[in-house]
Amino acid sequence: MRIRSFSNEQGILYLVATPIGNMQDITLRAIEILKTVDKIYAEDTRNSINLLKHYNITTHLESYHEFNQETKTSDVIDEIKSGKNIALISDAGLPVISDPGYKIVKEARKEGLRVSTIPGPSAGISALIASGIAPMPYTFYGFLDSKQSKRIQELNDIKYINHTIIFYEAPHRLHDTLADMYSVLGNRDICIARELTKTFEEYIETNLGDAINLEPLKGEIVLILEGYKENTDTNINPMERIDELIKFGYKPNEAIKEAAKQLNMDRKELYKNYSNYKNSTRGNLNE
Ligand code: SAM
């Protein structure tokens, strides 16, 4: 199906980017659209009201969030079909990106309705370009699961992606997430981008091994993580890496297999070396 966004038929759904911190990061076009549409749907009306007040936008505002999207989607679709122009915004950045909106877009596309994007800031891509980590190719991951077992599974699934990966994370889960990344992915460069566009904006360029020792960080956080690379760093001590993995909960045999993969080494050879190392230090592998 081919749909021209600016044909003059029925209604339209605008996906409008809003600031990720600094109130001034909004386009002239976004303000114009928000002033002239028939209705704005917002993730949290209490948050959006401040932005709308700031720009003297008096358009009717209604909520559209994770918990009412099942029922609200069909209302929005009916409104567009009846000729209304609707804008969707989230609390920050682009709607749909780790925020509600995909359901409406999918449904609107299925119905042959017009959907148009009003671009602007998004935390992930803004962090990526300033991180100093290879910007392309990249994978946008968003939030990992909050449950550790699922998070570890997710990290295992993406372990060999050789793209830079963009994650969102809440400050209270940051340490656990970094520790899981380190245990599953091995050491990699990471840039922790915090409070973008706000007074305390900060970029911490580090690696996972050091990041797990950082003091607790506050605020909104994006993680830009280096992608998988075949290991060429001869400074990593394989015995120490195996011990670390065991400390993170791997069984000895699994730790050896994992370290062999991470360090691009022969597993049998590593097993032999690790056995010798253990025998010479404090016992054997089955301890
Ligand atoms: N839709 C938004 C976007 O386009 O970036 C993302 C919304 S998601 C619910 C919120 C997460 O985005 C935060 O937990 C944080 O990881 C990231 N984020 C949003 N604003 C940020 C900022 N100013 N600085 C750093 N990260 C931010």
Side-chain angles (χ1 to χ4, degrees):
M1 195 167 349
R2 291 171 64 161
I3 303 172
R4 285 186 177 262
S5 294
F6 305 118
S7 59
N8 249 346
E9 305 154 359
Q10 40 176 221
I12 185 167
L13 173 66
Y14 290 110
L15 304 168
V16 183
T18 56
I20 57 168
N22 189 319
M23 213 56 135
Q24 298 195 34
D25 291 332
I26 186 162
T27 68
L28 297 173
R29 191 157 163 252
I31 296 170
E32 178 66 24
I33 297 278
L34 293 176
K35 280 187 172 167
T36 54
V37 288
D38 296 298
K39 198 190 270 186
I40 301 171
Y41 280 94
E43 185 189 1
D44 184 337
T45 52
R46 288 162 309 179
N47 280 343
S48 298
I49 202 83
N50 297 326
L51 178 77
L52 301 191
K53 269 192 188 151
H54 187 84
Y55 287 103
N56 296 318
I57 298 165
T58 54
T59 309
H60 179 64
L61 188 63
E62 239 180 86
S63 74
Y64 181 87
H65 49 68
E66 205 186 323
F67 307 105
N68 69 7
Q69 57 180 344
E70 291 295 336
T71 48
K72 277 278 167 90
T73 298
S74 63
D75 294 351
V76 181
I77 296 296
D78 287 346
E79 285 166 349
I80 301 169
K81 278 185 178 165
S82 75
K84 294 219 162 75
N85 296 336
I86 303 291
L88 178 70
I89 59 177
S90 64
D91 281 355
L94 291 172
V96 182
I97 296 297
S98 294
D99 268 333
Y102 177 59
K103 252 187 176 3
I104 307 187
V105 174
K106 201 168 156 211
E107 203 52 37
R109 289 267 170 231
K110 211 164 86 191
E111 297 280 344
L113 301 171
R114 291 182 300 151
V115 178
S116 185
T117 186
I118 308 297
S122 187
I125 196 99
S126 302
L128 175 71
I129 61 167
S131 68
I133 294 186
M136 287 179 298
Y138 75 84
T139 292
F140 175 79
Y141 198 91
F143 289 97
L144 287 160
D145 204 279
S146 55
K147 275 206 202 98
Q148 191 186 31
S149 56
K150 282 203 176 158
R151 186 162 66 224
I152 286 184
Q153 181 57 54
E154 288 177 328
L155 288 168
N156 271 303
D157 292 344
I158 58 170
K159 195 169 177 171
Y160 297 110
I161 292 182
N162 59 0
H163 301 178
T164 295
I165 310 179
I166 304 174
F167 297 97
Y168 287 163
E169 194 46 287
H172 64 278
R173 275 199 291 269
L174 180 66
H175 180 269
D176 289 351
T177 294
L178 292 170
D180 290 340
M181 284 179 171
Y182 186 48
S183 97
V184 176
L185 309 175
N187 208 7
R188 295 190 188 182
D189 286 345
I190 188 165
C191 177
I192 304 173
R194 202 166 71 81
E195 292 288 89
L196 298 176
T197 77
K198 305 184 204 174
T199 313
F200 297 107
E201 176 176 304
E202 182 182 31
Y203 297 89
I204 305 173
E205 294 173 69
T206 181
N207 57 56
L208 288 172
D210 290 340
I212 55 178
N213 296 317
L214 283 168
E215 80 282 7
L217 298 172
K218 289 190 182 143
E220 299 202 272
I221 290 164
V222 178
L223 302 174
I224 306 292
L225 182 71
E226 181 188 28
Y228 171 76
K229 267 204 225 128
E230 280 206 359
N231 188 59
T232 46
D233 185 354
T234 48
N235 290 327
I236 296 175
N237 180 327
M239 305 302 121
E240 283 174 11
R241 183 66 193 142
I242 295 168
D243 282 341
E244 265 175 357
L245 289 167
I246 291 171
K247 218 166 65 193
F248 277 121
Y250 282 75
K251 295 204 171 88
N253 278 340
E254 288 168 355
I256 293 169
K257 202 163 140 195
E258 183 53 37
K261 265 197 210 152
Q262 288 180 5
L263 305 177
N264 200 20
M265 293 174 79
D266 181 79
R267 182 161 56 92
K268 285 189 183 143
E269 188 73 10
L270 196 54
Y271 186 90
K272 211 164 64 193
N273 292 346
Y274 191 69
S275 284
N276 292 340
Y277 162 74
K278 278 288 146 189
N279 288 336
S280 67
T281 51
R282 60 170 176 78
N284 62 49
L285 275 185
N286 301 320
E287 283 182 351

